[in-house]
Amino acid sequence: MRSVHRIRLTFTLLGALALSGCLDEDGGSGDDTSTGRVNYNGFNGLSYQTASQSGTTNSAGEFRYYPGETLTFRVGDLPLVSGVPARQYVTLLEFFENTRTELQSPMVDDEGLSTHTLTEQLVLEDTTLMNISRFLMLLNWSQNVAEGEGIDIRNRVIAQLNAALPDLTAPVDFSVSESEFTATNPLSPANQLLAAICFYPEDDELCEDPPTQEEIDNAPPRPENDEDRDPDIEYSEDLQAKKDRIENAVRSMEDIDSEDAQTYLTRELKAISTTVANRYFLDDDVASHPSTDTALKQVSVRKIGGGLSLAELEAISTRPQDVQINSADWQSGKVEYFVAGPSGGESELLLSFRPEDTYRWVRKQLRVIIR
């Protein structure tokens, strides 16, 4: 294995890497491909490949694809996953076949309606998902992924990772147990890679090789009096402090735990769900009917821009003694209901539906007032 932070990059190499295979920041493709995104807040630096497209995700996490294609992802020369269905939003939860399968089975919430959010939280306990999420978060240039920000895997990090790969004691295997993936004695392959990467400017002291113990032992001790110290001499105490600074700057899998990864992924999932839900609305938010009018009424799901296409639709009345559901038709997106209570009563009609192109369920409500 290479020494800590031994790798050096030239500005020429960085420039060449920056120009190769990256998407334009504006997301424009100039062709008939679709644009997808890894996560919501961006995921820069993942190499991707489909049957027809290849490149590197930009700061928005964008990639190109044709419908029906699958994705292969890498970080530099390190394979991550393959066979991931390409779509508008791809999260790390969809990287693996078993977690993708789990996401297709919604759970029922306290109101008796289907929801994907409970299933997502269950999937977040998957060990392989946590291993890859923690590792990728640690490749972010800033160790912490702040709320509202994406992951930024820079070319400098990728080049150092590629240089360290040949020296690993074993391949990186995201499917092993957490304890094996995060081992520190001896270092797991994931920790070996992190130890070889410096996340500071190339000329920063923290990117130098740390002083050896022999160098520290052979250096003169620091004089007690300041006036006796020579600024051109590195004393043993100075070398020891430098060694400690460099070694403390090395990242380890322990720096981000599963709870950190779950918090980050939950934020991303919530942002995507909100974006999907904002595309849909009901043709009414509030409806008012006299108690004597017991004829069937209806409320319809609409999509901004049209082209409504639902796969499933459920509806309940929170006060069926006042307002009752008659039917719910997923093909038309219409729910029929009728007034059943006296004047002064009211109910919320809750509609839960799943658009055709996602596993996510959208929740909308209609307030019905009886006058």
Side-chain angles (χ1 to χ4, degrees):
M1 178 182 165
R2 296 177 186 267
S3 301
V4 173
H5 302 332
R6 188 171 164 185
I7 300 158
R8 295 288 181 271
L9 298 178
T10 65
F11 289 108
T12 302
L13 174 58
L14 285 174
L17 287 169
L19 293 172
S20 62
C22 296
L23 291 170
D24 295 333
E25 290 296 323
D26 62 4
S29 64
D31 56 31
D32 60 346
T33 57
S34 298
T35 300
R37 292 173 66 174
V38 179
N39 285 351
Y40 180 80
N41 287 302
F43 207 121
N44 181 62
L46 291 182
S47 297
Y48 71 90
Q49 176 82 47
T50 73
S52 65
Q53 307 294 308
S54 64
T56 303
T57 57
N58 59 16
S59 60
E62 292 175 327
F63 56 85
R64 309 273 185 240
Y65 70 99
Y66 285 103
E69 291 187 319
T70 60
L71 291 154
T72 294
F73 286 114
R74 295 179 292 107
V75 176
D77 297 332
L78 175 65
L80 296 177
V81 292
S82 60
V84 181
R87 48 179 60 110
Q88 185 174 15
Y89 288 107
V90 174
T91 70
L92 275 60
L93 279 69
E94 296 163 273
F95 272 17
F96 307 100
E97 183 176 3
N98 64 308
T99 52
R100 289 197 300 271
T101 300
E102 290 182 57
L103 290 172
Q104 300 305 314
S105 299
M107 300 178 70
V108 177
D109 63 15
D110 293 339
E111 293 170 321
L113 292 171
S114 295
T115 177
H116 63 280
T117 56
L118 296 176
T119 305
E120 286 177 338
Q121 292 305 308
L122 189 63
V123 169
L124 287 177
E125 299 177 6
D126 183 85
T127 300
T128 304
L129 171 63
M130 285 298 97
N131 286 343
I132 197 170
S133 299
R134 292 167 65 184
F135 179 74
L136 291 175
M137 290 174 70
L138 282 163
L139 294 182
N140 186 49
W141 186 252
S142 299
Q143 183 167 306
N144 296 319
V145 184
E147 186 168 0
E149 295 184 1
I151 289 178
D152 178 19
I153 304 178
R154 299 189 179 181
N155 291 325
R156 170 166 162 71
V157 171
I158 292 172
Q160 292 179 86
L161 180 148
N162 287 344
L165 280 173
D167 294 329
L168 296 184
T169 57
V172 176
D173 184 356
F174 297 104
S175 66
V176 300
S177 67
E178 178 186 1
S179 59
E180 185 176 349
F181 192 77
T182 62
T184 56
N185 187 22
L187 290 179
S188 67
N191 273 329
Q192 291 174 39
L193 281 178
L194 292 172
I197 299 172
C198 181
F199 294 87
Y200 295 88
E202 186 177 4
D203 57 354
D204 195 292
E205 175 195 72
L206 296 176
C207 293
E208 298 177 6
D209 290 333
T212 65
Q213 192 59 49
E214 182 180 4
E215 290 172 330
I216 295 172
D217 293 340
N218 291 335
R222 183 190 299 159
E224 293 185 6
N225 297 322
D226 290 345
E227 58 270 18
D228 296 332
R229 296 177 186 174
D230 187 337
D232 296 325
I233 294 178
E234 287 191 298
Y235 298 104
S236 59
E237 293 87 351
D238 300 327
L239 291 176
Q240 182 62 57
K242 180 178 180 179
K243 181 175 185 291
D244 293 342
R245 287 194 300 273
I246 293 174
E247 292 182 346
N248 288 335
V250 175
R251 293 186 186 178
S252 165
M253 288 300 304
E254 295 178 343
D255 293 332
I256 289 181
D257 59 22
S258 293
E259 184 176 352
D260 296 326
Q262 289 170 355
T263 298
Y264 161 70
L265 291 173
T266 298
R267 290 199 309 254
E268 294 295 314
L269 294 168
K270 183 178 180 180
I272 294 173
S273 292
T274 299
T275 300
V276 172
N278 286 343
R279 299 172 186 161
Y280 298 88
F281 62 97
L282 302 183
D283 48 15
D284 287 305
D285 295 322
V286 179
S288 177
H289 307 290
S291 60
T292 56
D293 184 1
T294 57
L296 289 178
K297 315 292 188 302
Q298 71 177 27
V299 60
S300 299
V301 178
R302 307 289 188 185
K303 183 180 180 182
I304 295 175
L308 179 71
S309 184
L310 303 183
E312 298 180 78
L313 171 63
E314 302 171 350
I316 64 167
S317 171
T318 58
R319 290 180 57 84
Q321 66 270 32
D322 287 329
V323 181
Q324 293 188 13
I325 300 292
N326 180 66
S327 64
D329 179 27
W330 61 269
Q331 291 177 309
S332 64
K334 299 181 186 299
V335 172
E336 290 186 338
Y337 65 95
F338 60 91
V339 171
S343 176
E346 68 174 73
S347 179
E348 298 282 343
L349 301 188
L350 302 181
L351 281 65
S352 184
F353 53 91
R354 183 174 66 83
E356 191 175 61
D357 58 351
T358 180
Y359 70 84
R360 298 173 177 88
W361 288 74
V362 176
R363 187 74 53 92
K364 299 293 178 179
Q365 65 185 36
L366 169 71
R367 183 187 180 196
V368 181
I369 301 172
I370 305 173
R371 63 178 191 271

